[in-house]
Amino acid sequence: MADLWQNAMDHAVTIARHAGEVVREALQDDGKKTVMTKSSSVDLVTQTDQKVEQLIIQSVKEKFPTHSFIGEESVAAGESCVLTDGPTWIIDPIDGTTNFVHTFPFVAVSIGFSVSKQMEFGVVYSCLEDKMYTARRGRGAFCNGEPLQVSDQEDIRQSIIATEFGSSRDPEAINKIFSSLRSILCIPVHGVRGAGTAAINMCLVASGCVEAYYEIGIHVWDVAAGSLIVSEAGGVLMDVEGGPVDMMSRRIVAANSRTIAERIVKEIDAFSPPRDDAAPPNQ
Ligand code: IPD
């Protein structure tokens, strides 16, 4: 089995690099960006997201025909989002689609792989930085082959925290997001940042550049790969109210340490968006 997952991971790295080339080419050619919307006018998708997801799924299916998939754009097209015990590829073809649309230079291809509901490997390719982040369960996290280690800063007042506003514009959710942000900023922390992609934010935690990243409203495909990269770099994952993270709950704190994660949890005004694995309203 171990060798089989290594083959799968090698394939994920190859296909993520190829997908990244497609994303980079499309970024340079404004004419290729056909922008559409999904759940709201600020939840964007492009033909490149759809094309890259199909390219990844087709390529994996040829090599691993029995494996399952959870892909952002396939779910948007009506496929179910249920994590079984079987080998499952969890794919975000472009994490940072809004960045992609605006040519804001942080976009990533994110591929997580889970077996028995446990992440076995994660691959995040930051396309414009040409940084390939990888992690395999129990074997560490790497960027372009160099080992990653989270920051050893335990004082939140000496920390940078990453977060995002997401694509919900529900006034109640926005109030809670700002209330949390205000509390965290006023601890005070050194700064708050956001790359516009959950996957890259998590890789920044793993790299030791920021002490933590938190968000309510992300999806399983945004954080599947990044979560293993953080934990294999020595970090911790937590739900925004403390306790274990639930990958389908759309809530996450990823931090360098339990101390920093728990300090953030204290300041978060939590809420629960509809789960990723909730049945569509008409079913
Ligand atoms: C989004 C990005 C963004 C985060 C959103 C995600 P997408 O993913 O990760 O940073 O704030 O919650 O949905 O739509 O670009 O794949």
Side-chain angles (χ1 to χ4, degrees):
M1 276 304 177
D3 285 340
L4 180 59
W5 302 159
Q6 188 58 51
N7 286 344
M9 181 166 167
D10 292 344
H11 189 64
V13 170
T14 304
I15 193 72
R17 201 176 290 286
H18 176 53
E21 278 163 26
V22 175
V23 171
R24 273 198 302 268
E25 267 172 35
L27 254 177
Q28 281 154 14
D29 183 353
D30 267 351
K32 280 192 191 166
K33 285 188 201 153
T34 309
V35 184
M36 298 158 280
T37 59
K38 296 191 286 188
S39 62
S40 74
S41 63
V42 297
D43 185 8
L44 309 182
V45 59
T46 70
Q47 278 178 351
T48 309
D49 296 67
Q50 295 166 338
K51 175 180 161 184
V52 169
E53 181 161 317
Q54 278 318 306
L55 177 154
I56 295 171
I57 291 178
Q58 282 317 319
S59 160
V60 174
K61 269 187 179 164
E62 279 167 25
K63 267 188 110 72
F64 305 99
T66 61
H67 290 187
S68 303
F69 299 90
I70 293 176
E72 173 171 15
E73 308 316 336
S74 309
V75 171
E79 297 218 356
S80 71
C81 182
V82 176
L83 192 58
T84 66
D85 283 339
T88 306
W89 296 67
I90 306 171
I91 301 161
D92 190 341
I94 302 181
D95 189 45
T97 300
T98 305
N99 286 355
F100 174 78
V101 167
H102 292 269
T103 329
F104 189 86
F106 295 97
V107 290
V109 177
S110 176
I111 304 177
F113 179 76
S114 134
V115 182
S116 301
K117 301 190 180 73
Q118 186 172 43
M119 296 308 303
E120 284 292 335
F121 66 74
V123 172
V124 170
Y125 181 49
S126 178
C127 309
L128 294 172
E129 302 176 286
D130 189 22
K131 286 185 176 172
M132 182 67 75
Y133 295 92
T134 57
R136 176 114 190 264
R137 188 165 65 83
R139 300 194 190 176
F142 300 84
C143 177
N144 290 345
E146 294 296 320
L148 295 176
Q149 179 64 48
V150 293
S151 148
D152 61 5
Q153 182 56 258
E154 292 264 329
D155 181 355
I156 196 151
R157 290 167 182 262
Q158 311 287 325
S159 300
I160 289 186
I161 308 303
T163 192
E164 300 286 340
F165 300 109
S167 57
S168 167
R169 296 296 180 265
D170 167 54
E172 260 183 56
I174 296 283
N175 280 343
K176 285 176 178 284
I177 287 168
F178 274 88
S179 147
S180 308
L181 186 60
R182 188 180 193 290
S183 301
I184 288 168
L185 199 56
C186 294
I187 287 174
V189 294
H190 274 181
V192 173
R193 301 284 185 272
T197 116
I200 291 182
N201 286 331
M202 294 180 92
C203 291
L204 293 174
V205 175
S207 305
C209 308
V210 305
E211 274 63 35
Y213 158 69
Y214 75 91
E215 187 171 348
I216 301 178
I218 39 81
H219 296 275
V220 61
W221 44 81
D222 299 314
V223 294
S227 63
L228 191 68
I229 294 171
V230 168
S231 53
E232 287 296 322
V236 302
L237 304 166
M238 206 177 268
D239 177 61
V240 296
E241 291 184 270
V245 77
D246 170 350
M247 294 294 270
M248 291 289 172
S249 71
R250 304 184 57 197
R251 313 175 350 151
I252 200 159
V253 179
N256 65 333
S257 64
R258 183 155 291 276
T259 312
I260 296 278
E262 283 172 348
R263 187 66 185 82
I264 287 171
V265 161
K266 267 196 194 165
E267 305 299 338
I268 293 181
D269 195 353
F271 60 98
S272 299
R275 293 176 58 82
D276 275 335
D277 55 3
N282 57 349
Q283 284 185 12

